[in-house]
Amino acid sequence: MSLNRRLRPNPPSQRSDSDDLGILNEQILFLVFRSMKWDIQALCSTASVNHKLRAIVKRLLWRELCAHSAPRMIESLENAAPSGRIGGGWHTLAKLMFFCCGCEPTPNFKVSRPIPGHFVKSSRFSKTSGQSFLTKRCRGDLLYVSDPCEHPMGEKEDDLGIYRGVFKGFDKSKTRAYLIGRRVKLEERVRCPYCGAPEWSMTAAGLVPKSAARRLGSHHGALEYFVCVNGHMHGSCWLVPLSSDDNEDDEMDGSDDFDFADNDGGVRRIGYDDRTATNGSMCSMGEEVVVDGPAK
């Protein structure tokens, strides 16, 4: 859908001169936020002013924020979406791109204290990383997954990694077909932190391959993740401390597995205050999507 078709000028009979020239004019809003490089905190503040602005932001501006931040990932997701509609809406995808959802203890993953959610400075989403989270029976699916956001838990515990992702065309995915075909039950107490939809535990479903732990820099069995009915994914893991010997081994081992090729960057962790990524950058293979979070 072109931008001109998405922009809807107010009908002459329903708008005042002040509305036409002011903040409720969609074309003006679009230009203002484009000049601000689609600052997500400014968008959130604008959407909270009144119902009219919230409707404009929801219908038009969240999508533009996502497309500006990760153009190729958004193009890929839209190509698999009916009528260009993303599961859960564009506001939920924007939240997933820029917000670490935190972690609560679950029956399969215990933490000493809950970790609250927070905006992130930057995130790298990779479809190569996503392949590590798919079992062989689901390898035809396309899943974008972020690097783990690292949270120190104290001297006596390993650091906690929190990650998130999104499926392309989840309605037609092998993962969804397997979950429904096996009649895997939806979680009763857990809801998607991004869209509020019911979720499946991939741990309970037996769909956590060993390659996921290796991708995250964790131990097999020391992680858990969920997928909601709209195709959003989020999870937590215990991160193995990296020693200098580990780094040397990683540099020497570059052809062990196609999922972990050198040009994919190996294991990379995003800290709470990571500001190193550039907006919308991609690797030469077109597999890495980096989005900048809000600046303070």
Side-chain angles (χ1 to χ4, degrees):
M1 182 184 296
S2 67
L3 176 61
N4 290 334
R5 293 183 63 185
R6 287 195 299 271
L7 292 172
R8 298 178 184 174
N10 295 329
S13 61
Q14 298 180 7
R15 68 186 183 193
S16 65
D17 291 340
S18 60
D19 285 348
D20 183 44
L21 299 176
I23 196 170
L24 293 181
N25 184 291
E26 293 185 9
Q27 292 181 339
I28 292 177
L29 274 174
F30 176 85
L31 294 174
V32 167
F33 280 103
R34 187 174 67 177
S35 70
M36 298 172 65
K37 297 183 178 179
W38 302 99
D39 183 275
I40 189 171
Q41 291 184 331
L43 272 172
C44 291
S45 298
T46 301
S48 66
V49 172
N50 57 43
H51 292 295
K52 290 184 178 180
L53 284 173
R54 185 178 305 154
I56 295 173
V57 172
K58 182 177 181 180
R59 180 175 56 79
L60 172 67
L61 300 184
W62 285 129
R63 190 266 173 199
E64 298 302 326
L65 164 69
C66 295
H68 169 80
S69 303
R72 293 194 183 182
M73 184 173 81
I74 297 307
E75 181 182 6
S76 175
L77 295 177
E78 278 191 310
N79 287 339
S83 303
R85 295 181 179 179
I86 298 297
W90 288 107
H91 59 295
T92 63
L93 183 59
K95 184 177 180 180
L96 185 145
M97 291 170 65
F98 293 99
F99 190 78
C100 169
C101 64
C103 177
E104 296 281 346
T106 69
N108 296 315
F109 192 86
K110 304 295 184 181
V111 291
S112 58
R113 56 185 171 86
I115 300 298
H118 61 88
F119 279 110
V120 294
K121 294 300 180 184
S122 61
S123 294
R124 185 187 71 157
F125 287 82
S126 168
K127 61 184 180 183
T128 301
S129 295
Q131 287 296 305
S132 301
F133 290 81
L134 301 173
T135 59
K136 291 182 179 180
R137 63 173 63 91
C138 300
R139 277 294 172 95
D141 294 345
L142 195 157
L143 169 64
Y144 289 93
V145 177
S146 73
D147 290 314
C149 179
E150 188 173 352
H151 294 258
M153 297 295 287
E155 296 180 357
K156 297 183 179 180
E157 293 184 282
D158 291 337
D159 291 343
L160 181 69
I162 302 174
Y163 49 95
R164 58 207 190 277
V166 58
F167 277 85
K168 173 183 177 180
F170 184 68
D171 285 348
K172 299 179 180 180
S173 67
K174 294 180 181 180
T175 300
R176 180 179 182 272
Y178 179 85
L179 290 166
I180 294 177
R182 287 298 184 93
R183 298 184 179 180
V184 178
K185 293 184 178 180
L186 293 164
E187 294 293 299
E188 296 181 357
R189 299 183 179 180
V190 181
R191 291 275 175 163
C192 177
Y194 297 105
C195 66
E199 296 185 308
W200 290 282
S201 167
M202 297 295 101
T203 304
L207 289 178
V208 180
K210 293 181 179 180
S211 55
R214 183 176 177 182
R215 167 61 62 183
L216 293 166
S218 181
H219 290 299
H220 183 61
L223 70 153
E224 181 176 34
Y225 54 94
F226 299 86
V227 174
C228 80
V229 297
N230 286 320
H232 303 135
M233 178 267 242
H234 68 97
S236 304
C237 66
W238 293 110
L239 298 171
V240 177
L242 297 178
S243 65
S244 58
D245 292 338
D246 292 331
N247 292 331
E248 292 176 1
D249 291 341
D250 289 341
E251 291 175 359
M252 297 177 63
D253 184 11
S255 59
D256 186 18
D257 192 322
F258 77 91
D259 277 341
F260 306 96
D262 288 339
N263 63 4
D264 186 52
V267 175
R268 179 174 180 269
R269 298 175 185 173
I270 297 294
Y272 187 94
D273 292 320
D274 189 326
R275 306 185 186 194
T276 61
T278 57
N279 189 21
S281 66
M282 312 230 1
C283 76
S284 60
M285 298 298 292
E287 302 227 345
E288 309 303 332
V289 180
V290 182
V291 296
D292 278 344
K296 289 186 178 180

